[in-house]
């Protein structure tokens, strides 16, 4: 794309429909919006096929709703993660189409409409407490373009038969997202039962020496079954985005 | 597959061509070879589509060559990772077809022949010292079934133009493996430049507070660009196996 | 047990009282209840002899009381750990037999009635602050089937004579649970004074470089007296469950 | 026993067959041998039922063989762990009955003869590389008094069927020792499949972020299946000693 | 003292003024008070010369005031550390002589009257924020028996001349307590300027990679000037107690 | 300056306008103010050219405003960092000239007037959430003497073109402060794009394995591009002070 | 510079002395040499004013000497760090002008000749063992363009007067590099004594809880004296490069 | 002393037997020897009463023997710690009075003769492997001035009676050094048994999660018995030096 853009400019220079200084200017004026406190990477949609996403932690509600409004005005899909109900209210105040996925804690306006719809994603959790992160992954994948997402929740290794009965379901997916806290052993087990790529998301569920998810993170990184790649602790969004890129 | 096997047994019981005790026996005699010190998971090839791989660290040369021989006798492809030249010699002693990929430190006998050959993998490294791990990933992907692998080495973020000139190459791949040590920042940069899924492998290259790869690992887990999933430190094999599962 | 179940099915197939598809179905319909957000492992009682336990952290009060109700309806004992008074009120609202052990922070409905009652467990704490975790262990052991539990609290190594006077008591137990924070040295001392197996539970009591229980955990793992096995920080439930399995 | 000894002394004082200063002296001369560099706890055999064990790391070969000789002269069983072949040669030089368990790296002279022989221990490993630590556990349990030990090696979770076929074997044991490195997930899986107490031993097998066994250690401490207690990394001896105490 | 006690008992047995069973009983009935939830080590005053101290963290206000009352009733000095104003009020409610040192966060009833009063302690802080911990050390030393304590606060290494002007004061002390957070460098500097033993107390003051006092702790443990021993983070009480033992 | 001071004293001694005891006294009476709880290093302004700065964390509002008042009375510039609005109100109450930079969380009275004004500092952030720390750096540099500070915010590596378009701006600065959380990769990228010294400030923005800024800190310390020096996590003040010293 | 290059190309397109495809080609053919295993960033000299440096760890001697030869052929200065004598011999074999700084462990061919020579750098070490890292910093600064470097070695805080006598020397420098291991307190002390920017380099000298330099690293990051920026452990090269950028 | 020195100079200036420039010079020429690579702090003997000690790690044998020779020539006692036999040979080559304490790994020439000889130090170890560090402490204390040192080795808490029989010995000492690895629990136990100050030295003896002494270090820092101060891991010298300062 960069090449196409440059080529177009070069041709206009060649045919003298654009001066050299104008051309020069073009190269530095890549499309991003200046919001005083934030430079929106509106160019990202073109470059990577995915819009910029608002990570709500550490930003004020006012900042978030202003960014959301700007993106929506530019006809870009809006996705805000780790969003509280208060943040949803603020965004809904500036754009009536805002939707709140409360378990996933995501606010969205619009979504990416994908032409091909063939990838199937399976999201598995070890326990009930892991569901919010799993939903963050599932909703992200759905918003970012047409993945068909199936859920299989609360099937941790303490009751292995809940899992071994679902091998066919696993092998029918194109990729599997495994969300688990505590010992994080679920990722290894799924990786050993199936031939599909596993994206593992450790959660901060647990106590004591789980060290806010560190134990699960290390377990998953050291999976004795190959085929497991790992996201940051509680980073459901990251897993959803990763599988969206498989399309 | 398990269902198919069970179904066949059930049918033979139904038609009385198999007794109940015989049937019972069948369910526990799943195909794995007992080697006294190792139970070969020869069943894995059927279950996951990939053979068991020999991780050489912590095993004696004698053990490794015996496992290799057994697998080869069973007509399964053999892949031994983190293998020294001495190990190669031992395996070559029991099977003349053994090949040594010395940079990747992999010994292989045979490979998986895939019918479809459409996935393209790009392997990128930050520096020269990361190449052995990158080759481990690349050779693994090639052995595990037909991925077409392209290499782009020594293009770390200290000289960004080496990377930005290759955006088209990146977007032409189905998945990108990024191998980097020290600050591990390359994964974030590639993740931000392309729309393809990035599998990041931190290496133990660096010194001082790189803490044998921990710094790069944390950087990659915290990538500000989404679409990056992470493997264990120096786990090139894991990345190669993960992308093979995309087929 | 799995074998017994399979055998029964096989025999029914053999005598044609069950079709092959029906038999096939049987293998995947292992008994667990689907609660939408949680798959209850009601099968666990049969498999391991112990019911599934509700770990309250990270679950909503509504979720907890619904799980509790379901388990109780299935005539299974209910144990909810790390439970606040508010959670107790909710469970009591759906089942009048709920009991609250407030120091242990456990809500229970019913308990496992064991036929043999011969194991004797001794629970020891280093200080007063360790008592809630010790009670969690003691109550768990009592609910899971008939262990006779004795308490010996606040006998830390700073006043060694409180401990050396109780060697006979220690040797009269079948297993000893040691609960201690700060330096966690109590486990080593008890391990050296007695011939009984010691299950050590580090607590998060302490400050500064106790790092929320890490110091006690490491001390216990490195006990210079052998015969000491270790549970997670503050995991009194785990210790109680472990000793119940000794029966 | 302390009480018996004190009682005997008191009675001799009462009957004037011992003076007060003599009696006083008795209380401080508890039976331990002074070896200049080491005070042998020969009293331990009486106190805990188990002899003092020689942990070879950090001691010179000369020191080890001298301690071994002294213990053997006192008719106590000798167990030296983490012993090289060179150490074995030195001990054999001072006592012809020394036996070397080379995989377990244990040198032993004699063993504890137990009257009751009813406990059965099952030792399971995840991989081939974990066997030396598993053998350390198994041999220790056998030497410390009559446990009947069964081995089930190389049945890691990457090939789950190797494990699920052995549930009956697991439930036939009185306690199960699980030895695993890398992700250490095997302990959780065994804990979930069986009703028996599980003693988990993490090993330092693995690489990268396994951090010399830390990953497996944390996994096991955070086991989502209850009933798992944990030993120090590579501490096979500790596990063997723990189960011996169950007798 | 133990010897004296035993000798007395033996003599009474010898002169038949005490029976053997009575004597036997004596040895196990060492003086500690049973408070149901806490066993008071009232014997400690005799054994170590210092009373048991109440560490308030993790105990309820009711428990604390009951322990305080009991100790005071036994005519032992009471010292409660990390005590809030609310705790002071509760203790004052059961004993009118309670005194609150609010900066030090210590509640005391009575103090140890020492005959010899010759030790002089100097307490130094790096900054203003370290003063509460320094006062905890100073007040503890004063209460535990007659140390004469001098304060030199806010003389951190960022303004070295504040410190180098006080070398004479330092050398006039018998021991120096250095309390510092952030980089903790003050301990090394004081250790290098003086010939007196330095007891260093790291505080949790700082931010970012001070990691709640870990940075200062490590600095002090690695002091390039010898003569520095280290207490736990924020453990002013420990330092005060240590210097009291020098008497 | 010390030499000058000493020389002056020596000359006065030589000409007998000062006695030896008086001279002796001079050397120990270096100018610092004693505030009971704080020794103000008013000498620092002379010694280092910069005033003492009030780090508000861990100090009471009363202490802070008293220190501020004292410094202002001595005609020294006042800078209080990590200051809340409440602290600002308190300082404003004792000195009407107090100014509050609310984003930077700095309260200031006066500033250092520098004669030469030639240094130009560029402050860059990766995201919006990093701005408060960046402003702390920028305002500090401005208050400490005449640096001309330019801001370039929200230009993280996920959208690299926002950064590569600003190479000229970077090279026009004398030093660049890079403030970033999450992966902290921005410092490496800026270090590779420019010839100017980079002072990197990791922030605690991020989640999961960012471990409150540790990930960004390690990334920056391991920058594969040379020319990057690192400050403590969230230490914007430190970076601002460092660049002020370049004048 | 990029702008100038682009402008030149555009003008040639405009005047038709270059076709559009040729122009397009130009943008991707930025000057770097392809060495099969390494892409030399020969463009870096133009972009940042500094040549690419060879970090020898993890590269074979053959690779290093080939890279060195290539750089030297391109008339670029060669700097190889962490170089053994063997590596020096190899480089000297391909280029006779190679010089070996053995204490600094640097091999160099040529150096950057700077027009202006006004910056003065002072390198200070805490102990004798820190000298190799200090020399790496000093030699790097000298090779990268004309800094005048002065050394002040072995002046750690254990003997503070060695340091306080050198304040004038410190203030005469433009920047100070402080190299120290163990407690790393030297950086704070120098930062408090002078008005110059301090670049601190922790070394891995020390033992026990110095954790290979971690203690010194944390001390320096938490310096209570402002004006201290920190490099990676043992990264003398980084400090030398940083100060070279001040020119 | 500084004051005395300054006073003498001032008086000579006053009586005109010294010029101002000469006087000025005096203040910076404090007595330390310049050895090119090391500045000997010969002034330390006067300032702190203890000579500079040579820490051999990280220094070449040639450097060590040259420093030793210089110190000996200046009639200062020489103490070199962590010294190998080879280093001893080298020092003995330059000074015939060198003595090698091989267990302690200390080379010494001469010692400090103290007038008063009243302090008694007791050094206790947990095991045989801790003896080298204990001897380093004991020999250091003996060389630094007349402490009378008693040893009590191999009395770890696994055999508590070895320790409880020695309470009188403990209380007869002025200070107790406790040296222990593994769980480090010995320090807490000794602290609780005695009224004397305890200086605890963790050793790197142990394996697995002892993390080279970290477990013992944390245990000792968190001692539930007060009166325990802690040295760096394996820092026997530090403990010996600390108690020497008590004189």
């Amino acid at each position: 794309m960069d090449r196409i853009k440059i080529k177009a400019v070069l041709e206009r220079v060649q045919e003298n429909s654009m001066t050299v200084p104008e051309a020069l200017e073009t190269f530095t004026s890549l499309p991003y919006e200046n919001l005083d406190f934030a430079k929106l990477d509106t160019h990202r949609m073109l470059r990577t096929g995915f819009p910029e996403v608002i990570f709500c932690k550490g930003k004020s509600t006012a900042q978030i709703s202003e960014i959301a409004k700007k993106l929506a005005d530019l006809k870009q899909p809006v996705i805000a993660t780790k969003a509280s109900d208060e943040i949803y209210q603020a965004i809904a105040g500036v754009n009536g189409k805002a939707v709140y996925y409360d378990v996933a804690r995501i606010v969205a306006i619009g979504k990416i409409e994908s032409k091909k719809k063939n990838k199937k994603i399976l999201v598995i959790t070890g326990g009930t407490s892991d569901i919010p992160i799993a939903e963050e992954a599932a909703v992200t994948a759905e918003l970012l373009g047409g993945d068909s997402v199936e859920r299989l929740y609360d099937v941790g290794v303490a009751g292995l038969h809940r899992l071994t009965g679902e091998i066919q379901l696993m092998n029918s997916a194109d990729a599997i997202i495994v969300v688990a806290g505590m010992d994080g052993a679920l990722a290894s087990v799924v990786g050993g039962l199936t031939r599909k790529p596993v994206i593992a998301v450790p959660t901060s569920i647990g106590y004591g020496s789980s060290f806010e998810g560190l134990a699960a993170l290390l377990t998953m990184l050291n999976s004795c079954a190959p085929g497991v790649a790992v996201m940051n602790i509680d980073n459901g969004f990251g897993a959803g985005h990763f599988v969206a890129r498989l399309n």
Side-chain angles (χ1 to χ4, degrees), chain A:
Chain A
M1 189 205 62
D2 257 290
R3 286 176 73 90
I4 292 163
K5 185 188 165 86
I6 293 171
K7 192 158 164 254
V9 170
L10 287 171
E11 284 165 353
R12 292 189 59 200
V13 169
Q14 195 182 34
E15 11 171 286
N16 282 309
S17 66
M18 188 184 257
T19 66
V20 168
E22 280 168 1
L24 209 49
E25 197 54 30
T26 314
F27 290 103
T28 52
S29 62
L30 285 162
Y32 55 84
E33 286 286 323
N34 204 330
L35 223 65
D36 193 28
F37 58 83
K39 285 196 185 48
L40 288 186
D41 185 6
T42 49
H43 179 244
R44 189 178 301 182
M45 190 72 192
L46 295 173
R47 192 173 70 248
T48 69
F50 301 105
E52 183 163 11
V53 167
I54 310 170
F55 175 53
C56 293
K57 266 180 73 176
K59 298 196 183 68
S60 71
T61 301
Q63 287 177 330
I64 294 164
S65 59
E66 189 171 353
I67 296 174
K69 184 177 186 315
K70 198 78 178 188
L71 284 169
D73 289 355
L74 291 162
K75 306 295 176 209
Q76 295 218 349
V78 174
I79 300 178
T81 64
K82 309 289 178 200
S84 62
D85 187 69
E86 179 204 338
I87 287 171
Y88 163 61
Q89 301 296 348
I91 296 179
V94 299
N95 187 305
K97 292 183 186 153
V99 178
Y100 189 36
Y101 300 84
D102 61 342
V103 180
R105 300 185 60 212
I106 287 178
V107 178
I109 304 172
K111 57 169 290 185
I112 296 182
E113 296 301 338
S114 173
K115 287 148 235 166
K116 41 181 183 170
K117 240 184 153 79
N118 51 345
K119 293 288 175 191
K120 182 172 148 196
I121 306 300
L122 177 65
V123 182
I124 304 179
T125 76
T128 301
S129 312
D130 304 316
I131 292 177
I133 303 302
E135 278 299 306
E136 189 184 88
V139 171
T140 298
E142 288 165 343
L143 291 171
L144 289 179
D147 281 327
S148 143
V149 180
E150 209 153 330
R151 277 94 166 158
L152 181 61
Y153 289 169
D154 198 26
V155 292
V157 301
L160 211 56
H161 61 294
R162 296 180 294 196
L163 201 62
T164 50
E166 308 282 8
I167 292 177
Q168 266 190 326
L169 176 63
M170 292 183 207
N171 279 331
S172 73
D174 289 291
I176 303 171
I177 294 173
V178 172
V179 182
M182 303 186 87
D183 58 16
L186 186 59
S188 303
V189 171
V190 172
L193 286 175
T194 175
R195 80 181 64 98
K196 299 300 177 175
V198 174
I199 296 95
V201 186
T203 69
S204 53
I205 297 302
Y207 59 142
S209 64
S210 76
F211 298 126
E212 307 291 317
L214 178 61
L217 172 65
L218 291 181
T219 308
M220 288 165 168
L221 286 168
N222 287 283
S223 170
C224 60
V228 178
V230 186
M231 305 305 303
N232 197 355
I233 298 164
D234 287 339
N235 190 5
F237 163 72
H241 196 287
F242 183 87
V243 297
R245 289 188 171 211
L246 294 176
N247 283 322

